[in-house]
Amino acid sequence: MTDYQKPPYDYRPINALPYWDVIGEFITSAVTETAAATGREERSLYPAAVAFVLWCWQSRGTPLERKRIFRRATVEEFIHLAMTRYTKGSRATHRATLWLMIENLNPADMNRSRRPISRSTPTKPYSTSEVAALYSWATSQGTEHRRRDAIALLALGLGAGLASRELLGVRVRDLDTRTGRIQVIVWEGRPRVVPLRPDWERPLRRILDDLQPEDWLFRPGRLSATSGQVTDFLLRARTDLDVRPSRMRATWLLDHLLSGTPPQELLRISGLKNLAALDKLAIFTPRTGVIPPFPESLTKKL
């Protein structure tokens, strides 16, 4: 009699399916390794792993690296920010599962004396053709509400460089048009006034007629602003495009650098505290791949 070999578990993540070609191999490897080490069934690990990794990659812009994703602090952030609609029992189950995965995939995180993690590769900005594809995606959504929300998402991400948590907090009343140009007022986290890039003014103005001053600009009608709301919207879009606010912000930053926005001004409107984040974008500049050096006196001041 030959030994029976159990076939590998074939998990089909419906909600994450549009992104499975990107994140699937990373998740499957993590689940398979954890299951082999602990004796847990793979099917019991997948739900928490998929939801967590998708949120890290899409909402936080975290690279698909084990030491960057499988961390206790990141798990706690996920539980408290992305699982607000879940029951206490479900949150506890996901936490226990993810902590088990951390113990096996990134054991160094279980003690506080671990060495600092080296700087990761920066998020890649969109190309001109990719931005055009995103705009086409937005305008071809199935309903007027979804088209409006998609345009708002792109305008706040590509036009104002807002992070996910920031664009979720913008209401119509936070758009200042008194000068004839649109400026976005960010009130929480990193308060600032951000001038909208000119190429996004017309698309944004087109959707304002249907909104009231107190409405959220993105997904009006919701009762609160939680990080998972961007992910929820994108999951329902069923697109093969890589639609991420973190890449939109990187694109916005690079556009400003290439158009000659002074570093001090870019730090002010972006909410960044130092030049390090701008330096990391140098590899994406054309030809030489080098951003002109900032004045030493400015670097010291900042």
Side-chain angles (χ1 to χ4, degrees):
M1 180 181 294
T2 58
D3 292 335
Y4 170 74
Q5 281 191 326
K6 183 178 179 181
Y9 179 61
D10 185 18
Y11 184 75
R12 300 287 179 172
I14 296 177
N15 289 338
L17 196 58
Y19 312 104
W20 199 244
D21 287 344
V22 179
I23 66 176
E25 184 178 350
F26 178 83
I27 295 174
T28 299
S29 173
V31 166
T32 300
E33 188 171 323
T34 301
T38 63
R40 285 278 297 271
E41 290 284 341
E42 291 182 17
R43 68 175 66 247
S44 71
L45 301 174
Y46 266 113
V50 170
F52 174 60
V53 172
L54 178 61
W55 176 81
C56 288
W57 173 76
Q58 191 171 68
S59 295
R60 296 181 87 249
T62 307
L64 294 176
E65 302 170 11
R66 287 188 178 182
K67 290 184 178 181
R68 298 281 292 176
I69 286 183
F70 290 103
R71 302 175 58 195
R72 292 188 298 175
T74 308
V75 167
E76 291 306 305
E77 185 178 345
F78 168 71
I79 296 297
H80 291 291
L81 295 180
M83 296 192 68
T84 56
R85 297 181 181 178
Y86 288 71
T87 65
K88 183 177 180 181
S90 294
R91 293 198 299 270
T93 299
H94 274 54
R95 178 187 282 111
T97 298
L98 294 171
W99 274 50
L100 178 67
M101 297 185 75
I102 291 172
E103 290 177 6
N104 289 275
L105 302 175
N106 187 19
D109 187 70
M110 301 310 289
N111 68 73
R112 295 296 182 179
S113 61
R114 63 187 183 280
R115 291 177 297 176
I117 298 172
S118 59
R119 181 183 298 181
S120 61
T121 302
T123 301
K124 183 180 180 181
Y126 293 111
S127 65
T128 301
S129 61
E130 287 175 322
V131 171
L134 290 176
Y135 184 74
S136 178
W137 161 79
T139 57
S140 62
Q141 291 296 298
T143 67
E144 183 60 34
H145 287 298
R146 288 194 60 82
R147 286 192 289 273
R148 182 184 62 204
D149 288 340
I151 289 295
L153 177 64
L154 297 186
L156 293 174
L158 291 167
L162 303 191
S164 294
R165 64 184 181 279
E166 294 174 336
L167 67 85
L168 285 167
V170 175
R171 296 182 186 269
V172 175
R173 70 185 182 203
D174 298 327
L175 302 180
D176 186 353
T177 60
R178 291 173 297 177
T179 62
R181 298 288 302 277
I182 297 179
Q183 298 187 99
V184 183
I185 303 173
V186 179
W187 293 102
E188 297 183 4
R190 299 173 287 195
R192 62 195 188 278
V193 177
V194 186
L196 192 74
R197 292 192 66 84
D199 47 340
W200 285 101
E201 287 209 7
R202 181 174 294 179
L204 186 56
R205 289 183 187 277
R206 287 185 185 136
I207 68 174
L208 295 180
D209 290 341
D210 297 328
L211 300 173
Q212 300 300 316
E214 295 300 316
D215 284 339
W216 302 106
L217 190 58
F218 172 68
R219 301 188 71 179
R222 51 192 166 92
L223 300 178
S224 61
T226 58
S227 59
Q229 290 165 344
V230 174
T231 301
D232 289 343
F233 175 78
L234 294 175
L235 286 175
R236 293 188 178 96
R238 303 285 183 180
T239 178
D240 293 331
L241 296 176
D242 181 12
V243 188
R244 275 189 287 159
S246 59
R247 287 193 70 185
M248 297 179 201
R249 178 168 168 81
T251 305
W252 177 84
L253 286 169
L254 184 60
D255 285 346
H256 271 285
L257 286 171
L258 295 178
S259 63
T261 301
Q264 190 172 25
E265 172 67 7
L266 184 51
L267 289 178
R268 184 186 67 78
I269 64 177
S270 67
L272 295 172
K273 294 183 178 179
N274 55 61
L275 300 172
L278 302 181
D279 288 337
K280 290 196 294 184
L281 290 171
I283 64 173
F284 299 117
T285 57
R287 298 187 181 90
T288 63
V290 177
I291 297 174
F294 302 123
E296 183 178 357
S297 58
L298 175 60
T299 306
K300 290 180 179 179
K301 291 179 181 179
L302 298 174

